[in-house]
């Protein structure tokens, strides 16, 4: 678990001497084993907050506790080696092979080479890259999506309990982003890391975040589950930022199969279980139906999704 | 990744079109004609200047009529092949350059045949013009060869073994420059060695001093302003003036500190020459160093810090390897420039190939000037090629290429 206590980052304007607060009096607890999305408009302090957690930026006031330990009392390098870090521009080392990139932190920690090599192969497999094929390649030989997979593998290499991600999927095209988000959700389902993910993409925050922390001008606007933000916005800012179609955005991140219930779907319009719930809703509206039948990969009806089920998101 | 097979398929469809582009590309034909024109003119110009001794006035000798015909044919064929038979261009261009070298040897040999021992056969305007033109067609042929692919680019280099072979069998023995070389054989290697010594020591010193300064400057805008400003200022002083300027302070230093005089520091000689050359080489080493170090992507450095590398680890493992290929190109520039500056060093008694150039100038012996100038030019080219090769190698190893 990561806990922020009255965190503050103040910059003083050198000309006027006036203070500017990038982050102001921020108290927040990122729950263990869950993804918390740090969401907000640009300049709201979300990246600054993230970078203060592994002390790439030093706070001007307040405290950060990582796994109960005061981050300020640790050596920055030691702290960072215990925290996985993935950034938007990917930041792979272009002069090293994929395997060497992934092995960065284990090597810094001085772990035995043979074990690291084993670990690298395991991680590449985990992120969906065939080790034999990719180990010896250079980052420049990979597509953007493959590079970011390597970036995730590298962050996980030393098995850190905590992962910080700064717009990890921001530079990818929509198709690659979707695929990688799916793969990432799958990985996290098994690993249960404590993840803080900065994003300005509302869809991504609602789709991947177990919790969402919405920041505005350096202060916390709302912290809660995606449901809380979508259905129970605490302020006008939250409502406006998410937009009136927030519910639809949320539905877009859920599979129809995940909401369907057992039932007799004969005679209803059919949708594939892998379709997202927003599209299923669109089908209901188009077909003027109160429910649709959800079909599995084999084409057989596996359940029924009714209009009321959509409210259970 | 996905675009690769696509690009291959497109390339296959395009390759016939590409070879016709090589045939009809106007720029390549222009290069070939620009080379053929001086060759055509050279056929009519004097090839050899025969003099009873190295300083006397002499008579100009032209090519025999049969050779003129062959020369015209070779020049025209090379240029026209660019239009009608691109595959023949590399071979023809190599032939033209080899022909010029062959005539250089055979014409000067024919000239001194039966003459007294001190007779000298210098090459004249025809040879220079021909070699210039032929070199241009070889350059064009290299471009044509690269478009044609296969073994074609290498055919454009066939002249090199041909000329080396001619040199080995003593074909150029009658050429006046070689005659000068024979007289000064030992001195030549001594001065060549001195020339190389000056270059390598100055380059080493400039790198030793410049590297830490570049690292410092790359991290601090104020330092980089001062350091690059001073190095740029030094660069604007002409090399001759800089050598002169150093005489006073260095001789004063040597007088004040006898220990320095004992190790060879004085107003003239090797010490001031090395000082000036080191100062000159500093700017390219510094400038490229700063540019290379700053040019490393910020995301990569941020990732290195975020992974938990210390500042030292980040510099040695990430920033320096990524900057090295670009940095090396600055060292290459410095090396090539130093070949020229070292030629002037003779003026303050530091020796080097400048010895031949300046004694040739003083005695009006053009052959002696060439004995210094030609090897210096060759040295610059060879250094450039070697260091460029090292750059490419490092670039590939370090993932920049």
């Amino acid at each position: 678990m990561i806990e922020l206590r009255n965190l503050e980052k103040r910059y003083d304007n050198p000309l006027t001497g006036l203070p500017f607060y990038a982050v102001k009096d921020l108290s927040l607890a990122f729950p263990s084993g869950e993804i918390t999305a740090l969401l907000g408009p640009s300049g709201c302090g979300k990246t600054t907050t993230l970078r203060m957690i592994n002390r790439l930026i030093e706070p001007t006031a307040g405290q950060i506790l990582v796994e109960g330990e005061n981050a300020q009392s640790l050596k920055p390098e030691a702290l960072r080696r215990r925290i996985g870090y993935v950034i938007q521009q990917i930041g792979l080392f272009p002069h090293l092979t994929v395997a060497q990139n992934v092995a960065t932190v284990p090597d810094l920690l001085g772990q035995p080479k043979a074990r690291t090599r084993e670990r690298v192969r395991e991680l590449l497999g985990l992120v969906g890259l065939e080790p034999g094929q990719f180990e010896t390649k250079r980052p420049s030989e990979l597509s953007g999506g493959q590079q970011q997979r390597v970036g995730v593998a590298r962050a996980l290499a030393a098995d850190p309990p905590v992962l910080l991600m700064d717009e990890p999927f921001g530079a990818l095209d929509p198709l690659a982003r979707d695929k990688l988000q799916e793969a990432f959700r799958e990985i996290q389902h098994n690993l249960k890391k404590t993840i803080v993910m900065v994003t300005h993409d509302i869809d991504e925050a609602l789709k991947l975040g177990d919790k969402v922390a919405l920041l505005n001008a350096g202060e916390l606007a709302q912290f809660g589950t995606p449901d809380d933000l979508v259905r129970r916005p605490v302020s006008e800012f939250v409502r406006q930022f998410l937009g009136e179609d927030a519910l639809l955005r949320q539905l877009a991140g859920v599979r129809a199969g995940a909401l369907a219930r057992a039932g007799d779907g004969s005679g209803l319009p059919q949708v594939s279980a892998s379709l997202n719930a927003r599209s299923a809703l669109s089908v209901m509206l188009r077909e003027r139906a109160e429910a649709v039948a959800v079909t599995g990969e084999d084409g057989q009806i596996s359940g029924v999704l009714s209009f009321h089920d959509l409210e259970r998101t | 990744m996905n675009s690769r097979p696509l690009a291959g398929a497109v390339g296959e469809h395009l390759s016939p079109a590409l070879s016709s582009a090589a045939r009809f590309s106007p720029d390549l034909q222009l290069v070939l004609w620009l080379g053929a024109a001086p060759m055509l003119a050279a056929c009519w110009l004097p090839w050899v200047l025969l003099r009873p001794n190295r300083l006397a006035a002499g008579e100009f000798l032209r090519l025999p009529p049969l050779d003129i015909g062959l020369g015209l044919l070779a020049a025209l064929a090379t240029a026209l092949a660019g239009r009608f038979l691109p595959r023949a261009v590399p071979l023809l261009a190599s032939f033209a350059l080899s022909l010029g070298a062959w005539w250089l040897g055979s014409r000067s040999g024919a000239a001194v045949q039966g003459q007294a021992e001190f007779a000298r056969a210098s090459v004249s305007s025809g040879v220079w013009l021909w070699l210039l033109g032929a070199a241009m067609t070889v350059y064009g042929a290299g471009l044509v060869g690269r478009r044609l692919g296969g073994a074609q680019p290498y055919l454009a280099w066939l002249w090199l073994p041909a000329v080396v072979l001619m040199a080995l069998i003593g074909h150029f023995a009658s050429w006046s420059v070689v005659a000068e070389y024979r007289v000064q054989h030992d001195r030549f290697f001594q001065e060549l060695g001195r020339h190389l010594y000056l270059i390598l020591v100055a380059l080493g010193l400039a790198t030793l001093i410049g590297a830490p300064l570049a690292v410092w400057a790359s991290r601090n805008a104020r330092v980089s302003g001062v350091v690059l400003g001073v190095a740029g200022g030094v660069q604007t002083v002409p090399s001759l003036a800089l050598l002169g300027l150093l005489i006073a302070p260095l001789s004063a230093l040597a007088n004040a500190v006898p220990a320095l005089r004992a190790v060879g520091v004085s107003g003239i000689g090797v010490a001031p020459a090395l000082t000036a050359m080191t100062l000159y080489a500093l700017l390219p080493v510094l400038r490229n160093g700063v540019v290379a170090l700053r040019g490393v992507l910020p995301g990569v450095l941020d990732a290195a810090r975020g992974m938990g590398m210390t500042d030292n680890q980040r510099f040695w493992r990430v920033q320096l390897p990524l900057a090295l290929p670009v940095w090396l190109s600055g060292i290459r520039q410095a090396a090539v420039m130093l070949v020229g500056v070292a030629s002037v060093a003779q003026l303050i008694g530091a020796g080097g190939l400048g010895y031949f150039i300046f004694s040739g100038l003083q005695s009006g012996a053009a052959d002696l000037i060439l004995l210094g100038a030609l090897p210096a030019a060759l040295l610059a080219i060879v250094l450039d090629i070697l260091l460029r090769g090292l750059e490419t190698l490092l670039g590939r190893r370090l993932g920049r290429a």
Side-chain angles (χ1 to χ4, degrees):
Chain A
M1 166 148 122
I2 306 169
E3 205 181 336
L4 314 180
R5 287 188 187 159
N6 309 103
L7 200 62
E8 174 199 282
K9 179 66 189 178
R10 190 187 71 221
Y11 295 99
D12 290 320
N13 185 320
L15 292 178
T16 59
L18 292 174
F20 164 76
Y21 292 93
V23 174
K24 194 175 178 183
D25 195 24
L26 182 64
S27 296
L28 197 55
F30 300 102
S32 296
E34 292 190 2
I35 302 177
T36 304
L38 274 177
L39 181 67
S42 38
C44 71
K46 52 192 191 296
T47 296
T48 307
T49 305
L50 185 87
R51 290 168 72 86
M52 282 194 281
I53 296 174
N54 64 357
R55 293 185 62 190
L56 289 171
I57 296 177
E58 295 292 346
T60 44
Q63 258 191 340
I64 298 165
L65 300 176
V66 177
E67 305 284 304
E69 249 182 302
N70 188 342
Q72 252 73 16
S73 67
L74 294 166
K75 263 185 68 177
E77 285 82 21
L79 173 73
R80 289 174 199 146
R81 288 172 196 177
R82 286 174 24 188
I83 300 179
Y85 184 52
V86 185
I87 62 172
Q88 178 180 7
Q89 309 96 323
I90 298 166
L92 294 183
F93 303 131
H95 60 302
L96 301 180
T97 64
V98 165
Q100 287 168 326
N101 263 289
V102 176
T104 304
V105 180
D107 283 351
L108 287 174
L109 292 170
Q111 293 177 358
K113 294 277 176 199
R115 212 182 81 197
T116 302
R117 199 158 36 235
E118 204 47 45
R119 175 86 181 136
V120 167
R121 297 180 66 88
E122 178 190 322
L123 278 166
L124 286 178
L126 182 72
V127 298
L129 299 173
E130 173 59 40
Q133 190 189 343
F134 286 94
E135 258 177 333
T136 54
K137 290 205 171 175
R138 304 259 180 197
S140 57
E141 298 173 86
L142 307 182
S143 71
Q146 288 167 339
Q147 287 184 25
Q148 198 53 287
R149 283 169 195 261
V150 177
V152 172
R154 181 173 68 171
L156 291 170
D159 202 15
V162 175
L163 214 56
L164 305 181
M165 310 180 95
D166 192 354
E167 308 220 5
F169 310 118
L172 302 176
D173 62 273
L175 212 69
R177 187 187 314 153
D178 256 17
K179 262 175 81 174
L180 205 50
Q181 282 172 343
E182 272 322 310
F184 177 70
R185 192 146 70 168
E186 194 65 28
I187 294 169
Q188 165 65 0
H189 186 76
N190 297 323
L191 295 184
K192 299 261 184 283
K193 301 285 182 189
T194 306
I195 297 176
V196 182
M197 173 191 290
V198 162
T199 179
H200 64 259
D201 180 349
I202 300 168
D203 300 317
E204 184 169 274
L206 297 178
K207 181 176 175 183
L208 294 180
D210 298 305
K211 297 283 192 312
V212 177
L214 179 57
L215 299 186
N216 180 31
E219 291 179 271
L220 187 64
Q222 186 169 357
F223 177 71
T225 62
D227 248 20
D228 290 337
L229 271 82
V230 168
R231 293 169 196 266
R232 294 172 288 280
V234 295
S235 69
E236 193 52 32
F237 168 79
V238 177
R239 184 197 308 277
Q240 279 193 359
F241 184 81
L242 291 178
E244 295 297 357
D245 59 346
L247 249 173
L248 291 178
R249 290 166 174 275
Q250 195 187 5
L251 287 177
V254 187
R255 289 170 184 221
L259 297 176
R261 282 189 293 194
D264 178 19
S266 51
L268 292 174
Q270 295 188 352
V271 299
S272 157
S274 62
L275 201 69
N276 69 55
R278 185 176 68 170
S279 302
L281 173 62
S282 171
V283 171
M284 287 181 206
L285 293 173
R286 186 185 70 205
E287 305 292 335
R288 295 172 187 277
E290 292 271 311
V292 289
V294 174
T295 58
E297 274 176 34
D298 51 4
Q300 295 295 311
I301 294 173
S302 57
V304 174
L305 177 65
S306 73
F307 183 77
H308 299 289
D309 295 325
L310 294 178
E311 293 181 355
R312 289 194 297 126
T313 44
Chain B
M1 206 56 197
N2 289 333
S3 68
R4 197 161 290 167
L6 188 67
V10 170
E12 272 161 32
H13 288 298
L14 273 184
S15 57
L18 258 181
S19 68
S20 78
R23 185 182 315 163
F24 297 114
S25 154
D27 51 337
L28 282 185
Q29 287 189 52
L30 186 68
V31 171
L32 293 177
W33 276 110
L34 277 176
M39 281 154 68
L40 289 172
C43 292
W44 308 104
L45 288 171
W47 274 61
V48 174
L49 173 62
L50 180 65
R51 287 174 299 187
N53 64 54
R54 124 207 294 200
L55 301 174
E59 66 171 311
F60 289 106
L61 304 176
R62 288 166 198 281
L63 285 177
L66 215 60
D67 284 353
I68 292 183
L70 180 59
L72 293 176
L73 204 65
L76 282 175
T78 311
L80 287 174
R83 175 84 171 76
F84 299 105
L85 194 61
R87 299 204 150 272
V89 169
L91 210 56
L92 281 170
S94 271
F95 174 73
L97 193 52
S98 315
L99 188 65
W102 177 260
W103 278 340
L104 191 166
S106 65
R107 288 297 99 208
S108 47
V112 293
Q113 188 91 52
Q115 300 281 334
E117 189 191 339
F118 294 112
R120 290 289 161 90
S122 311
V123 297
S124 189
S125 49
V127 176
W128 297 126
L129 213 54
W130 180 280
L131 290 179
L132 173 76
M136 207 129 61
T137 58
V138 163
Y139 169 72
L143 298 180
V144 172
R146 213 176 302 164
R147 291 208 194 173
L148 292 173
Q152 290 288 337
Y154 302 103
L155 292 182
W157 283 95
L158 266 185
W159 60 271
L160 188 60
V163 171
V164 169
L165 195 68
M166 287 180 219
L168 287 179
I169 62 170
H171 183 65
F172 303 120
S174 310
W175 181 22
S176 54
V177 175
V178 178
E180 291 291 354
Y181 161 75
R182 260 201 308 278
V183 176
Q184 314 227 31
H185 179 268
D186 293 338
R187 185 75 195 242
F188 177 77
F189 282 105
Q190 184 192 327
E191 299 301 348
L192 181 66
R194 171 60 65 82
H195 208 90
L196 269 174
Y197 166 82
L198 288 174
I199 294 169
L200 293 181
V201 172
L203 199 61
L205 285 174
T207 309
L208 277 181
I209 300 167
L213 274 178
V215 172
W216 190 21
S218 73
R219 294 174 183 178
N220 185 325
R222 196 171 303 165
V223 173
S224 86
V226 172
V227 164
L228 289 180
V230 170
V234 170
Q235 200 91 134
T236 62
V237 181
S239 49
L240 211 53
L242 188 60
L243 290 172
L245 281 174
L246 284 171
I247 292 178
L250 279 179
S251 47
L253 190 68
N255 282 335
V257 189
L260 283 178
R261 175 179 288 278
V263 297
V265 173
S266 67
I268 58 168
V270 171
L274 280 179
T275 311
M277 288 171 67
T278 304
L279 286 174
Y280 264 112
L282 218 45
L283 179 67
V285 172
L286 273 174
R287 192 184 43 208
N288 280 60
V290 172
V291 169
L293 289 167
R294 285 201 187 145
V296 176
L297 288 174
V300 172
L301 295 178
D302 184 50
R305 212 153 79 90
M307 305 266 101
M309 289 194 190
T310 62
D311 288 349
N312 268 331
Q313 286 169 334
R314 188 163 55 121
F315 176 75
W316 289 106
R317 296 186 184 198
V318 179
Q319 195 176 17
L320 187 62
L322 287 174
L324 217 49
V326 180
W327 202 340
L328 203 62
S329 84
I331 295 178
R332 173 172 56 84
Q333 286 166 28
V336 172
M337 189 185 63
L338 284 181
V339 175
V341 182
S343 305
V344 184
Q346 161 66 13
L347 283 179
I348 53 163
L353 290 169
Y355 166 79
F356 298 110
I357 298 176
F358 288 108
S359 32
L361 282 172
Q362 277 158 13
S363 58
D367 300 326
L368 208 49
I369 300 177
L370 286 179
L371 184 59
L374 286 180
L378 272 180
L379 192 59
I381 294 172
V382 169
L383 274 178
D384 188 68
I385 291 175
L386 285 180
L387 287 171
R388 222 178 260 272
L390 190 59
E391 261 166 63
T392 320
L393 192 78
L394 269 181
R396 210 170 289 154
R397 287 272 313 260
L398 302 177
R400 269 278 173 102

